[in-house]
PDB file of all heavy atoms in Angstrom:
ATOM      1  N   GLY E 182      23.753  19.248  43.514  1.00 71.00           N
ATOM      2  CA  GLY E 182      24.725  19.920  42.667  1.00 71.00           C
ATOM      3  C   GLY E 182      24.406  21.382  42.422  1.00 71.00           C
ATOM      4  O   GLY E 182      23.239  21.782  42.413  1.00 71.00           O
ATOM      5  N   PRO E 183      25.442  22.182  42.202  1.00 72.00           N
ATOM      6  CA  PRO E 183      25.243  23.617  41.995  1.00 72.00           C
ATOM      7  C   PRO E 183      24.505  23.953  40.711  1.00 72.00           C
ATOM      8  O   PRO E 183      23.946  25.047  40.577  1.00 72.00           O
ATOM      9  CB  PRO E 183      26.681  24.160  41.966  1.00 72.00           C
ATOM     10  CG  PRO E 183      27.524  22.994  41.571  1.00 72.00           C
ATOM     11  CD  PRO E 183      26.858  21.788  42.150  1.00 72.00           C
ATOM     12  N   ASP E 184      24.505  23.031  39.745  1.00 80.00           N
ATOM     13  CA  ASP E 184      23.855  23.297  38.459  1.00 80.00           C
ATOM     14  C   ASP E 184      22.439  22.739  38.393  1.00 80.00           C
ATOM     15  O   ASP E 184      21.787  22.845  37.345  1.00 80.00           O
ATOM     16  CB  ASP E 184      24.693  22.699  37.319  1.00 80.00           C
ATOM     17  CG  ASP E 184      26.077  23.337  37.237  1.00 80.00           C
ATOM     18  OD1 ASP E 184      26.180  24.546  37.521  1.00 80.00           O
ATOM     19  OD2 ASP E 184      27.035  22.618  36.907  1.00 80.00           O
ATOM     20  N   ALA E 185      21.972  22.143  39.471  1.00 88.00           N
ATOM     21  CA  ALA E 185      20.612  21.592  39.475  1.00 88.00           C
ATOM     22  C   ALA E 185      19.598  22.727  39.427  1.00 88.00           C
ATOM     23  O   ALA E 185      19.837  23.816  39.963  1.00 88.00           O
ATOM     24  CB  ALA E 185      20.398  20.749  40.725  1.00 88.00           C
ATOM     25  N   PRO E 186      18.449  22.512  38.785  1.00 92.00           N
ATOM     26  CA  PRO E 186      17.411  23.553  38.772  1.00 92.00           C
ATOM     27  C   PRO E 186      16.964  23.893  40.189  1.00 92.00           C
ATOM     28  O   PRO E 186      17.010  23.048  41.092  1.00 92.00           O
ATOM     29  CB  PRO E 186      16.269  22.897  37.977  1.00 92.00           C
ATOM     30  CG  PRO E 186      16.900  21.767  37.218  1.00 92.00           C
ATOM     31  CD  PRO E 186      18.045  21.299  38.055  1.00 92.00           C
ATOM     32  N   LEU E 187      16.544  25.123  40.391  1.00 95.00           N
ATOM     33  CA  LEU E 187      16.014  25.506  41.687  1.00 95.00           C
ATOM     34  C   LEU E 187      14.738  24.711  41.963  1.00 95.00           C
ATOM     35  O   LEU E 187      13.864  24.618  41.090  1.00 95.00           O
ATOM     36  CB  LEU E 187      15.697  26.999  41.732  1.00 95.00           C
ATOM     37  CG  LEU E 187      16.872  27.969  41.670  1.00 95.00           C
ATOM     38  CD1 LEU E 187      16.369  29.410  41.679  1.00 95.00           C
ATOM     39  CD2 LEU E 187      17.827  27.739  42.829  1.00 95.00           C
ATOM     40  N   PRO E 188      14.609  24.116  43.149  1.00 95.00           N
ATOM     41  CA  PRO E 188      13.370  23.407  43.455  1.00 95.00           C
ATOM     42  C   PRO E 188      12.190  24.371  43.532  1.00 95.00           C
ATOM     43  O   PRO E 188      12.366  25.574  43.798  1.00 95.00           O
ATOM     44  CB  PRO E 188      13.656  22.758  44.806  1.00 95.00           C
ATOM     45  CG  PRO E 188      14.767  23.542  45.396  1.00 95.00           C
ATOM     46  CD  PRO E 188      15.579  24.082  44.255  1.00 95.00           C
ATOM     47  N   ALA E 189      10.996  23.841  43.318  1.00 96.00           N
ATOM     48  CA  ALA E 189       9.798  24.694  43.337  1.00 96.00           C
ATOM     49  C   ALA E 189       9.668  25.434  44.658  1.00 96.00           C
ATOM     50  O   ALA E 189       9.278  26.604  44.693  1.00 96.00           O
ATOM     51  CB  ALA E 189       8.556  23.845  43.066  1.00 96.00           C
ATOM     52  N   SER E 190       9.988  24.761  45.773  1.00 97.00           N
ATOM     53  CA  SER E 190       9.855  25.412  47.073  1.00 97.00           C
ATOM     54  C   SER E 190      10.729  26.654  47.171  1.00 97.00           C
ATOM     55  O   SER E 190      10.349  27.647  47.813  1.00 97.00           O
ATOM     56  CB  SER E 190      10.209  24.431  48.198  1.00 97.00           C
ATOM     57  OG  SER E 190      11.560  24.006  48.101  1.00 97.00           O
ATOM     58  N   THR E 191      11.888  26.629  46.534  1.00 97.00           N
ATOM     59  CA  THR E 191      12.781  27.788  46.548  1.00 97.00           C
ATOM     60  C   THR E 191      12.261  28.888  45.638  1.00 97.00           C
ATOM     61  O   THR E 191      12.387  30.079  45.946  1.00 97.00           O
ATOM     62  CB  THR E 191      14.202  27.361  46.157  1.00 97.00           C
ATOM     63  OG1 THR E 191      14.690  26.431  47.129  1.00 97.00           O
ATOM     64  CG2 THR E 191      15.140  28.552  46.088  1.00 97.00           C
ATOM     65  N   LEU E 192      11.659  28.520  44.510  1.00 98.00           N
ATOM     66  CA  LEU E 192      11.044  29.527  43.640  1.00 98.00           C
ATOM     67  C   LEU E 192       9.955  30.291  44.397  1.00 98.00           C
ATOM     68  O   LEU E 192       9.866  31.528  44.307  1.00 98.00           O
ATOM     69  CB  LEU E 192      10.451  28.871  42.393  1.00 98.00           C
ATOM     70  CG  LEU E 192      11.418  28.106  41.485  1.00 98.00           C
ATOM     71  CD1 LEU E 192      10.657  27.470  40.325  1.00 98.00           C
ATOM     72  CD2 LEU E 192      12.528  29.017  40.970  1.00 98.00           C
ATOM     73  N   TYR E 193       9.145  29.560  45.146  1.00 98.00           N
ATOM     74  CA  TYR E 193       8.094  30.216  45.937  1.00 98.00           C
ATOM     75  C   TYR E 193       8.691  31.080  47.046  1.00 98.00           C
ATOM     76  O   TYR E 193       8.188  32.176  47.338  1.00 98.00           O
ATOM     77  CB  TYR E 193       7.165  29.170  46.550  1.00 98.00           C
ATOM     78  CG  TYR E 193       6.277  28.450  45.567  1.00 98.00           C
ATOM     79  CD1 TYR E 193       6.336  27.061  45.436  1.00 98.00           C
ATOM     80  CD2 TYR E 193       5.359  29.136  44.782  1.00 98.00           C
ATOM     81  CE1 TYR E 193       5.512  26.386  44.545  1.00 98.00           C
ATOM     82  CE2 TYR E 193       4.531  28.472  43.890  1.00 98.00           C
ATOM     83  CZ  TYR E 193       4.615  27.090  43.778  1.00 98.00           C
ATOM     84  OH  TYR E 193       3.795  26.417  42.902  1.00 98.00           O
ATOM     85  N   ALA E 194       9.752  30.600  47.684  1.00 98.00           N
ATOM     86  CA  ALA E 194      10.399  31.375  48.739  1.00 98.00           C
ATOM     87  C   ALA E 194      10.960  32.676  48.170  1.00 98.00           C
ATOM     88  O   ALA E 194      10.835  33.748  48.788  1.00 98.00           O
ATOM     89  CB  ALA E 194      11.506  30.555  49.397  1.00 98.00           C
ATOM     90  N   LEU E 195      11.568  32.612  46.989  1.00 98.00           N
ATOM     91  CA  LEU E 195      12.100  33.810  46.356  1.00 98.00           C
ATOM     92  C   LEU E 195      10.982  34.770  45.973  1.00 98.00           C
ATOM     93  O   LEU E 195      11.151  36.001  46.056  1.00 98.00           O
ATOM     94  CB  LEU E 195      12.932  33.428  45.134  1.00 98.00           C
ATOM     95  CG  LEU E 195      14.263  32.732  45.451  1.00 98.00           C
ATOM     96  CD1 LEU E 195      14.864  32.125  44.193  1.00 98.00           C
ATOM     97  CD2 LEU E 195      15.243  33.704  46.093  1.00 98.00           C
ATOM     98  N   ALA E 196       9.843  34.238  45.554  1.00 98.00           N
ATOM     99  CA  ALA E 196       8.686  35.092  45.250  1.00 98.00           C
ATOM    100  C   ALA E 196       8.193  35.802  46.506  1.00 98.00           C
ATOM    101  O   ALA E 196       7.812  36.978  46.465  1.00 98.00           O
ATOM    102  CB  ALA E 196       7.565  34.264  44.630  1.00 98.00           C
ATOM    103  N   ALA E 197       8.194  35.084  47.641  1.00 98.00           N
ATOM    104  CA  ALA E 197       7.800  35.712  48.906  1.00 98.00           C
ATOM    105  C   ALA E 197       8.727  36.878  49.233  1.00 98.00           C
ATOM    106  O   ALA E 197       8.275  37.977  49.595  1.00 98.00           O
ATOM    107  CB  ALA E 197       7.816  34.678  50.031  1.00 98.00           C
ATOM    108  N   LEU E 198      10.039  36.662  49.101  1.00 98.00           N
ATOM    109  CA  LEU E 198      10.995  37.728  49.369  1.00 98.00           C
ATOM    110  C   LEU E 198      10.793  38.896  48.420  1.00 98.00           C
ATOM    111  O   LEU E 198      10.875  40.070  48.815  1.00 98.00           O
ATOM    112  CB  LEU E 198      12.421  37.195  49.241  1.00 98.00           C
ATOM    113  CG  LEU E 198      12.844  36.095  50.223  1.00 98.00           C
ATOM    114  CD1 LEU E 198      14.246  35.602  49.885  1.00 98.00           C
ATOM    115  CD2 LEU E 198      12.789  36.586  51.659  1.00 98.00           C
ATOM    116  N   ARG E 199      10.527  38.583  47.154  1.00 98.00           N
ATOM    117  CA  ARG E 199      10.324  39.633  46.146  1.00 98.00           C
ATOM    118  C   ARG E 199       9.166  40.551  46.532  1.00 98.00           C
ATOM    119  O   ARG E 199       9.192  41.751  46.240  1.00 98.00           O
ATOM    120  CB  ARG E 199      10.054  38.969  44.787  1.00 98.00           C
ATOM    121  CG  ARG E 199       9.796  39.909  43.634  1.00 98.00           C
ATOM    122  CD  ARG E 199      11.085  40.446  43.044  1.00 98.00           C
ATOM    123  NE  ARG E 199      11.918  39.373  42.501  1.00 98.00           N
ATOM    124  CZ  ARG E 199      11.790  38.852  41.271  1.00 98.00           C
ATOM    125  NH1 ARG E 199      10.835  39.288  40.466  1.00 98.00           N
ATOM    126  NH2 ARG E 199      12.613  37.909  40.854  1.00 98.00           N
ATOM    127  N   THR E 200       8.150  40.010  47.169  1.00 98.00           N
ATOM    128  CA  THR E 200       6.960  40.797  47.518  1.00 98.00           C
ATOM    129  C   THR E 200       7.013  41.349  48.938  1.00 98.00           C
ATOM    130  O   THR E 200       6.039  41.938  49.401  1.00 98.00           O
ATOM    131  CB  THR E 200       5.692  39.939  47.353  1.00 98.00           C
ATOM    132  OG1 THR E 200       5.823  38.724  48.094  1.00 98.00           O
ATOM    133  CG2 THR E 200       5.450  39.593  45.906  1.00 98.00           C
ATOM    134  N   GLY E 201       8.122  41.139  49.635  1.00 98.00           N
ATOM    135  CA  GLY E 201       8.242  41.665  50.986  1.00 98.00           C
ATOM    136  C   GLY E 201       7.449  40.888  52.012  1.00 98.00           C
ATOM    137  O   GLY E 201       7.062  41.439  53.053  1.00 98.00           O
ATOM    138  N   CYS E 202       7.218  39.607  51.754  1.00 98.00           N
ATOM    139  CA  CYS E 202       6.421  38.781  52.662  1.00 98.00           C
ATOM    140  C   CYS E 202       7.314  37.859  53.492  1.00 98.00           C
ATOM    141  O   CYS E 202       8.179  37.175  52.937  1.00 98.00           O
ATOM    142  CB  CYS E 202       5.439  37.903  51.876  1.00 98.00           C
ATOM    143  SG  CYS E 202       4.139  38.819  51.026  1.00 98.00           S
ATOM    144  N   PRO E 203       7.098  37.791  54.799  1.00 98.00           N
ATOM    145  CA  PRO E 203       7.783  36.772  55.601  1.00 98.00           C
ATOM    146  C   PRO E 203       7.370  35.382  55.142  1.00 98.00           C
ATOM    147  O   PRO E 203       6.298  35.207  54.542  1.00 98.00           O
ATOM    148  CB  PRO E 203       7.332  37.067  57.028  1.00 98.00           C
ATOM    149  CG  PRO E 203       6.108  37.886  56.902  1.00 98.00           C
ATOM    150  CD  PRO E 203       6.203  38.627  55.605  1.00 98.00           C
ATOM    151  N   TYR E 204       8.200  34.390  55.458  1.00 98.00           N
ATOM    152  CA  TYR E 204       8.039  33.051  54.873  1.00 98.00           C
ATOM    153  C   TYR E 204       8.183  31.994  55.955  1.00 98.00           C
ATOM    154  O   TYR E 204       9.047  32.101  56.833  1.00 98.00           O
ATOM    155  CB  TYR E 204       9.104  32.869  53.788  1.00 98.00           C
ATOM    156  CG  TYR E 204       9.205  31.491  53.190  1.00 98.00           C
ATOM    157  CD1 TYR E 204       8.373  31.094  52.155  1.00 98.00           C
ATOM    158  CD2 TYR E 204      10.169  30.584  53.658  1.00 98.00           C
ATOM    159  CE1 TYR E 204       8.492  29.820  51.595  1.00 98.00           C
ATOM    160  CE2 TYR E 204      10.296  29.327  53.097  1.00 98.00           C
ATOM    161  CZ  TYR E 204       9.448  28.947  52.065  1.00 98.00           C
ATOM    162  OH  TYR E 204       9.567  27.709  51.519  1.00 98.00           O
ATOM    163  N   VAL E 205       7.334  30.982  55.876  1.00 98.00           N
ATOM    164  CA  VAL E 205       7.384  29.837  56.792  1.00 98.00           C
ATOM    165  C   VAL E 205       7.439  28.568  55.957  1.00 98.00           C
ATOM    166  O   VAL E 205       6.587  28.350  55.088  1.00 98.00           O
ATOM    167  CB  VAL E 205       6.150  29.791  57.721  1.00 98.00           C
ATOM    168  CG1 VAL E 205       6.196  28.550  58.607  1.00 98.00           C
ATOM    169  CG2 VAL E 205       6.061  31.054  58.568  1.00 98.00           C
ATOM    170  N   ASN E 206       8.420  27.713  56.222  1.00 98.00           N
ATOM    171  CA  ASN E 206       8.513  26.427  55.530  1.00 98.00           C
ATOM    172  C   ASN E 206       8.100  25.326  56.495  1.00 98.00           C
ATOM    173  O   ASN E 206       8.867  24.932  57.370  1.00 98.00           O
ATOM    174  CB  ASN E 206       9.936  26.193  55.028  1.00 98.00           C
ATOM    175  CG  ASN E 206      10.035  24.972  54.135  1.00 98.00           C
ATOM    176  OD1 ASN E 206       9.034  24.316  53.862  1.00 98.00           O
ATOM    177  ND2 ASN E 206      11.232  24.660  53.684  1.00 98.00           N
ATOM    178  N   PHE E 207       6.883  24.815  56.315  1.00 98.00           N
ATOM    179  CA  PHE E 207       6.374  23.756  57.184  1.00 98.00           C
ATOM    180  C   PHE E 207       6.761  22.374  56.676  1.00 98.00           C
ATOM    181  O   PHE E 207       6.360  21.364  57.237  1.00 98.00           O
ATOM    182  CB  PHE E 207       4.843  23.870  57.304  1.00 98.00           C
ATOM    183  CG  PHE E 207       4.267  23.194  58.509  1.00 98.00           C
ATOM    184  CD1 PHE E 207       4.405  23.759  59.771  1.00 98.00           C
ATOM    185  CD2 PHE E 207       3.589  21.990  58.399  1.00 98.00           C
ATOM    186  CE1 PHE E 207       3.887  23.134  60.894  1.00 98.00           C
ATOM    187  CE2 PHE E 207       3.064  21.357  59.515  1.00 98.00           C
ATOM    188  CZ  PHE E 207       3.214  21.926  60.772  1.00 98.00           C
ATOM    189  N   THR E 208       7.534  22.310  55.597  1.00 96.00           N
ATOM    190  CA  THR E 208       7.916  21.056  54.961  1.00 96.00           C
ATOM    191  C   THR E 208       9.421  20.830  55.081  1.00 96.00           C
ATOM    192  O   THR E 208      10.173  21.749  55.405  1.00 96.00           O
ATOM    193  CB  THR E 208       7.540  21.068  53.464  1.00 96.00           C
ATOM    194  OG1 THR E 208       8.543  21.795  52.741  1.00 96.00           O
ATOM    195  CG2 THR E 208       6.177  21.718  53.233  1.00 96.00           C
ATOM    196  N   PRO E 209       9.891  19.609  54.762  1.00 92.00           N
ATOM    197  CA  PRO E 209      11.341  19.370  54.738  1.00 92.00           C
ATOM    198  C   PRO E 209      12.013  19.884  53.458  1.00 92.00           C
ATOM    199  O   PRO E 209      13.233  19.794  53.335  1.00 92.00           O
ATOM    200  CB  PRO E 209      11.457  17.840  54.802  1.00 92.00           C
ATOM    201  CG  PRO E 209      10.084  17.323  55.051  1.00 92.00           C
ATOM    202  CD  PRO E 209       9.133  18.370  54.584  1.00 92.00           C
ATOM    203  N   SER E 210      11.228  20.395  52.502  1.00 94.00           N
ATOM    204  CA  SER E 210      11.790  20.861  51.234  1.00 94.00           C
ATOM    205  C   SER E 210      12.741  22.028  51.460  1.00 94.00           C
ATOM    206  O   SER E 210      12.692  22.700  52.491  1.00 94.00           O
ATOM    207  CB  SER E 210      10.659  21.266  50.284  1.00 94.00           C
ATOM    208  OG  SER E 210       9.782  20.165  50.053  1.00 94.00           O
ATOM    209  N   GLU E 211      13.590  22.299  50.482  1.00 94.00           N
ATOM    210  CA  GLU E 211      14.670  23.274  50.678  1.00 94.00           C
ATOM    211  C   GLU E 211      14.165  24.682  50.960  1.00 94.00           C
ATOM    212  O   GLU E 211      14.614  25.338  51.892  1.00 94.00           O
ATOM    213  CB  GLU E 211      15.594  23.274  49.462  1.00 94.00           C
ATOM    214  CG  GLU E 211      16.626  22.166  49.501  1.00 94.00           C
ATOM    215  CD  GLU E 211      17.770  22.435  48.553  1.00 94.00           C
ATOM    216  OE1 GLU E 211      17.664  22.024  47.395  1.00 94.00           O
ATOM    217  OE2 GLU E 211      18.757  23.053  48.977  1.00 94.00           O
ATOM    218  N   GLY E 212      13.255  25.182  50.137  1.00 96.00           N
ATOM    219  CA  GLY E 212      12.729  26.514  50.374  1.00 96.00           C
ATOM    220  C   GLY E 212      13.823  27.537  50.579  1.00 96.00           C
ATOM    221  O   GLY E 212      14.725  27.717  49.755  1.00 96.00           O
TER     222      GLY E 212
END
Side-chain angles (χ1 to χ4, degrees):
D184 298 326
L187 292 178
S190 62
T191 298
L192 300 178
Y193 290 121
L195 290 168
L198 297 175
R199 179 82 62 85
T200 53
C202 293
Y204 173 84
V205 177
N206 188 2
F207 201 75
T208 81
S210 301
E211 278 198 271

